[in-house]
Structures are given as C-alpha cells and as structure tokens.
Amino acid sequence: MQICIFEDINYSNFEPLVFTRPVYDLLCGIDTLKEKIICHYPKAKVSLHCRPYLTEIVQHQNPNCLVNKIDDTECLFINGRLVAPENLNEILPLIPSEDKIFVNDETVVAAYLSGENLQHKIGHIKDLFSVSDFNDLPGKIINIKCANYLWDLINHNGKQIVVDFGYLIKSNKENFVNKIDTSVHILNKQYVFISKNVTIKPGVVLDASNGPIIIDDDAFIFPNAVIEGPCFIGKETKIKSGATIYENTSIGKVCKVGGEVEQSIFMDYSNKQHAGFIGHSYIGSWVNLGADTNNSDLKNNYSKIKIKLSTKEVDTGSQFLGLMIGDHSKSAINTMFNTGTVVGFSSNIFAYGFSEKYVPSFTWGGDNSSTAYDIKKAIETAKIVMNRRKIEFEKKDEVMFNFIFELTKTDREKRGY
C-alpha cells in the first residue's frame, strides 16, 4: 500500500504562498508539512498530488516520488494541509482496510481506497479533492485537524518546533552544543540543538528558557545576536549582528536575517538583512525586504484582524497578524505594511506610506497608483537573484512565471492595472 499526499479545493486559502508550491510544501516548525507526514511512513512508496501546472516543479524537487500518479492496488490518501500529530501512523496505519474516509470539520483528512474506488480516483487524479469525491464511502470522524489558512501555521509554529525538537533529540543526529565557545551565552542548554559546522560568534545569546532552539548545518550567527526559543534557524542561514529573533520563529535555509523578528516563518532563500520589525508573518522564498521594512501585527484598537484574499475577505479571529508575502516579491527601504497585509507573487513594493492591504501578484508600486510588473522584467530579475545563489533559473521556472502571470491577470485588472 502506498500513500498519496493530496491537495484539496481549499488550497487557495494559502495564497499567495501556494502559487509556486503545493500546500504540503509549506514550512511549519523545522520542516514542511509533507516531510512531517512522510516520516511516519518511512518504508512507504509516496505519491504527491498537485495542481497540474506544478507537476514538473514538484517532480524535479521530489525525484523519488510519483507525482499525480498511483501505481498500487491500495492507497492511503492524506490531506496535505494536515500538520501531522506524533501518532499519525497509529491513527492511520498503513495496513489493508475497508474503503472509507476520515473527516474533521467537513474536511477530508484521509481516505483508504482500493479496487474500483481507487481506479475511479486515478482516472481523476489531476482534479482537486473535495468531500463530494467520496459520497459513496463510509466515513469516520477523527480528531486530527488540518490548517485552514496561513495564519494557522504561524500560530502553531512554536508548538511545532517543540514537537520537532523531541524528534530531533531522539534521532542519531549529533548535537554540538557542548562544543560552542564560552563567549556564547546559553540559557537552558538541554533545549538547544546545534548541528554540524555552525558558527556562533562572541556575545550571542541563545535563550531556551521558554522553548527549544534548533540551529541547522552551516548556519552563521553574527556577534551579539539574541535568539529566543522556540526557534529554528535553517541550513546556511545567517543571523546578522545585533539581530533579535523572538519566540515561535522558523527561518528556512540560505536566508539572511537582521533586525527584529517575532513569531514568523521565512521560507528558503529570503533576505531581511537590516533593521526593521517583522512579526506574526509568513514570508515566501526569494523575498527581499529592504532596510527598515516594518509590519504592524496589532491594531491600535486591539480588535481581531480581517484580511483580504483574491476572492474574499476573511475574519482571522486573531489579534496578531502581520504580513503574508509571496515568492520573488521585494520591498524598498522604509516600506510599511499594515496589520494583515497580503502581497502576491513577484511584486515590487515601494509605496509612500502604508501599502495597500491586498497587493495582487506582479504589482509594481503597492498603492493606488500601481501598475502591472512587466513579466519579462520580473523573469530577468528572478534569474539574477537565483544566479547569486548559484541556482539556475530553468525553463520550467519561466513557464511557471508566465502561468502565474496569466492566472492572476484578472485580479490586477479588477484594480485597474
């Protein structure tokens, strides 16, 4: 029996981060939702389901997985929005079972399929999953919830780092915390995990009093930075001098981060090198936030925050929420983002004062005088940016840029550009 991690019809709730990736490739804790699921089924063949235009990208990134294909007679389908609990393989064991679905809050969390039911699903494997796909199957309610929006991952991130730390200390990976120079101040050392080839300069404070700190391979922490747990710093990431990284923050690999960051998630290859505050935010890949870029994450009247997505306005129920910005977007120096701001894919923000609270993909400006960002110029910039990290911008990337440009065209036209 193989497993298939799938996307369902609610993937768009995670825009703009999911224009370039399936929902299950979002970071929460120290790794992606997909990686958390797969680790519970280490011997299983894995299939990944995604929107058709992402197929080539997903296959390139996951050469050992099937993409939009099933080649077994039985399959356990698992929703890619699932933040896997510690006992996932006990709740959903990989053993033969009658065909059934597992639901929670009208969401299909998982499904066992075989025989004719599986063949029917294989015939429609490129479609997004929904409850109606399984109307003829018996259902079971299970106490596993899926993330519904990006802020669910932001709010859960600290707890997930704690869970992931538990896995890490039980693994065979060596912890080099006892080899760190005495010029580094470490509080609650038993909750600090330092991987290989990490450099931590004098005056750094690692404060794990309120949760674990995990620093991955080849990271570099410059002098006098302060890191408070729970916190994860990814491979080859640099934390600049005097930076303050507060609790519940995850920073992916090959990032450069300075200033203040609180309860935020940075995907790989993004930069916020200079002063400025980013809080309760989700930052995509290949994002560059200019010096003194700041976001508000709390309204002056302390009320719950509403945000705008491309097709709807949503009451988040959260008192704290900052910026959600898609891949390849940039902000100029001194840019200000209001509470609950959404910036799309490959936008360039240099508005005077606060930017709009919803900025479509491929926007040039960010205020009511914005224009469309020329696709050729956007692609040329992406090539330069990726080449600086010795990553080639390939034909598949160009195809994806053009597809997203057309996909989001109506969104820009509604705003007059």
Side-chain angles (χ1 to χ4, degrees), residues 231-251:
C231 184
F232 168 67
I233 308 296
K235 292 181 180 180
E236 298 182 51
T237 280
K238 294 180 169 130
I239 304 300
K240 305 305 289 288
S241 293
T244 305
I245 313 299
Y246 293 107
E247 72 282 351
N248 306 328
T249 293
S250 290
I251 300 173

Side-chain angles (χ1 to χ4, degrees), residues 91-92 100-110 137-145:
I91 300 171
L92 299 171
K100 70 175 74 168
I101 64 169
F102 300 87
V103 296
N104 186 292
D105 291 339
E106 299 183 355
T107 293
V108 176
V109 176
L137 294 181
K140 180 179 179 181
I141 297 174
I142 57 173
N143 190 27
I144 302 179
K145 291 190 176 182

Side-chain angles (χ1 to χ4, degrees), residues 85-230:
E86 296 178 73
N87 59 340
L88 178 63
N89 57 359
E90 297 175 8
I91 300 171
L92 299 171
L94 203 61
I95 57 176
S97 171
E98 65 171 332
D99 289 8
K100 70 175 74 168
I101 64 169
F102 300 87
V103 296
N104 186 292
D105 291 339
E106 299 183 355
T107 293
V108 176
V109 176
Y112 285 113
L113 294 182
S114 63
E116 291 183 3
N117 289 322
L118 179 58
Q119 289 305 310
H120 181 267
K121 178 43 80 177
I122 290 173
H124 299 83
I125 193 64
K126 294 183 180 180
D127 297 341
L128 293 167
F129 283 52
S130 68
V131 174
S132 62
D133 294 338
F134 306 99
N135 282 340
D136 297 331
L137 294 181
K140 180 179 179 181
I141 297 174
I142 57 173
N143 190 27
I144 302 179
K145 291 190 176 182
C146 294
N148 291 313
Y149 294 95
L150 278 172
W151 51 89
D152 292 332
L153 300 179
I154 296 170
N155 293 336
H156 181 69
N157 196 54
K159 293 179 181 178
Q160 190 60 49
I161 293 171
V162 173
V163 171
D164 293 343
F165 179 81
Y167 289 131
L168 197 57
I169 59 175
K170 294 175 185 177
S171 70
N172 294 325
K173 193 169 183 178
E174 185 174 359
N175 187 354
F176 293 88
V177 67
N178 290 321
K179 297 183 181 180
I180 298 301
D181 192 89
T182 55
S183 63
V184 176
H185 304 281
I186 304 178
L187 286 73
N188 220 14
K189 182 183 282 189
Q190 66 267 33
Y191 289 101
V192 176
F193 194 100
I194 309 296
S195 295
K196 64 182 180 181
N197 300 325
V198 170
T199 300
I200 305 180
K201 303 299 280 185
V204 169
V205 176
L206 302 178
D207 184 356
S209 300
N210 295 317
I213 295 172
I214 303 161
I215 304 179
D216 213 343
D217 301 348
D218 301 298
F220 195 108
I221 316 299
F222 283 76
N224 301 319
V226 176
I227 301 174
E228 296 184 359

Side-chain angles (χ1 to χ4, degrees), residues 10-15 23 26 33 81 83 146-156 282 307 309 311-318 321 324:
N10 292 314
Y11 78 92
S12 60
N13 289 346
F14 296 82
E15 291 179 359
V23 173
L26 291 171
L33 303 182
R81 295 191 285 117
V83 183
C146 294
N148 291 313
Y149 294 95
L150 278 172
W151 51 89
D152 292 332
L153 300 179
I154 296 170
N155 293 336
H156 181 69
Y282 207 117
I307 73 157
L309 298 176
T311 59
K312 58 186 175 182
E313 183 176 83
V314 182
D315 186 342
T316 69
S318 294
L321 186 60
M324 286 150 285

Side-chain angles (χ1 to χ4, degrees), residues 360-375:
S361 297
F362 293 99
T363 289
W364 182 264
D367 58 13
N368 57 13
S369 64
S370 298
T371 59
Y373 188 9
D374 182 82
I375 180 64

